[in-house]
Amino acid sequence: EAAGEKDDDAEAVLSRFQDLVRVLRAIKVDHDVPQSQRVHAEIGAGSYVDEIEDLEDRIVNLARLSSLEVVERLRAGDDGKARSITPAGIEAAVDLGGVVDVGLERERLARKIAQAEDDIARAAAKLADDAFVTKAPETIVAKERRKLQGAQVSKEKLEQQLQALGT
């Protein structure tokens, strides 16, 4: 290629690499695993197996993993593993069994979901009250709408984290 020309293939590889590292780090954050704690991960790379295997050492280093297993498809229903997927469809599963008490993590997430549901109910009740909406300053009403939206997003993310832990 001539100097200065874009290499679309290289950019796509780099983008998939960055997304995978980001997903692996996010799983650790979502489940309160210290970033310094190294965990085992499995990657269902699909058609990107060779590409991910070539980058394995870099992924292990940047995502702070103890080890990485790259397969074409992840096994279904691995309990104790938090899962996520990149925009390119690369699946990631992080083994939390040795780091996090999965039962306690499920309980923690269930409590946070219940709190988010309470926040949603409280904000929705205020916004359903015509007297509040018509008499309160618009800034206060807008703040309640943001609270409602934030609680809904939070609940959805927590439910995804709970689902990612399996049954």
Side-chain angles (χ1 to χ4, degrees), residues 103-117:
L104 289 176
E105 180 66 2
R106 283 191 188 103
E107 290 174 16
R108 181 186 77 81
L109 291 169
R111 283 193 307 273
K112 287 185 130 186
I113 290 168
Q115 177 62 50
E117 288 171 343

Side-chain angles (χ1 to χ4, degrees), residues 13 16-17 20 42-60 68-73 90:
V13 169
R16 287 189 292 272
F17 167 74
L20 181 56
E42 295 176 20
I43 304 300
S47 62
Y48 304 114
V49 169
D50 292 338
E51 175 183 306
I52 299 302
E53 285 177 341
D54 289 345
L55 297 168
E56 186 171 340
D57 290 341
R58 290 176 184 95
I59 294 166
V60 166
L68 180 65
E69 180 182 352
V70 181
V71 295
E72 189 173 329
R73 298 249 180 288
I90 298 170

Side-chain angles (χ1 to χ4, degrees), residues 71-134:
V71 295
E72 189 173 329
R73 298 249 180 288
L74 293 180
R75 293 177 295 279
D78 277 349
D79 201 23
K81 291 185 178 149
R83 293 176 176 246
S84 191
I85 191 164
T86 70
I90 298 170
E91 299 173 286
V94 174
D95 187 0
L96 299 177
V99 180
V100 173
D101 182 320
V102 177
L104 289 176
E105 180 66 2
R106 283 191 188 103
E107 290 174 16
R108 181 186 77 81
L109 291 169
R111 283 193 307 273
K112 287 185 130 186
I113 290 168
Q115 177 62 50
E117 288 171 343
D118 289 347
D119 294 345
I120 290 168
R122 203 171 15 261
K126 277 188 181 180
L127 293 170
D129 181 358
D130 287 336
F132 171 77
V133 174
T134 56

Side-chain angles (χ1 to χ4, degrees), residues 150-166:
Q152 290 168 330
V153 168
S154 178
K155 179 183 177 221
E156 183 178 315
K157 184 173 182 181
L158 291 164
E159 288 173 337
Q160 289 170 355
Q161 290 172 23
L162 185 60
Q163 183 180 7
L165 286 177

Side-chain angles (χ1 to χ4, degrees), residues 9-75:
D9 290 340
E11 286 187 19
V13 169
L14 181 60
S15 178
R16 287 189 292 272
F17 167 74
Q18 289 173 323
D19 289 341
L20 181 56
V21 170
R22 192 175 299 115
V23 160
L24 289 164
R25 286 180 170 183
I27 289 172
K28 291 171 71 175
V29 168
D30 289 346
H31 296 285
D32 292 336
V33 176
Q35 287 300 317
S36 62
Q37 177 72 47
R38 296 192 177 260
V39 293
H40 173 73
E42 295 176 20
I43 304 300
S47 62
Y48 304 114
V49 169
D50 292 338
E51 175 183 306
I52 299 302
E53 285 177 341
D54 289 345
L55 297 168
E56 186 171 340
D57 290 341
R58 290 176 184 95
I59 294 166
V60 166
N61 186 33
L62 290 172
R64 297 188 176 128
L65 303 173
S66 59
S67 58
L68 180 65
E69 180 182 352
V70 181
V71 295
E72 189 173 329
R73 298 249 180 288
L74 293 180
R75 293 177 295 279

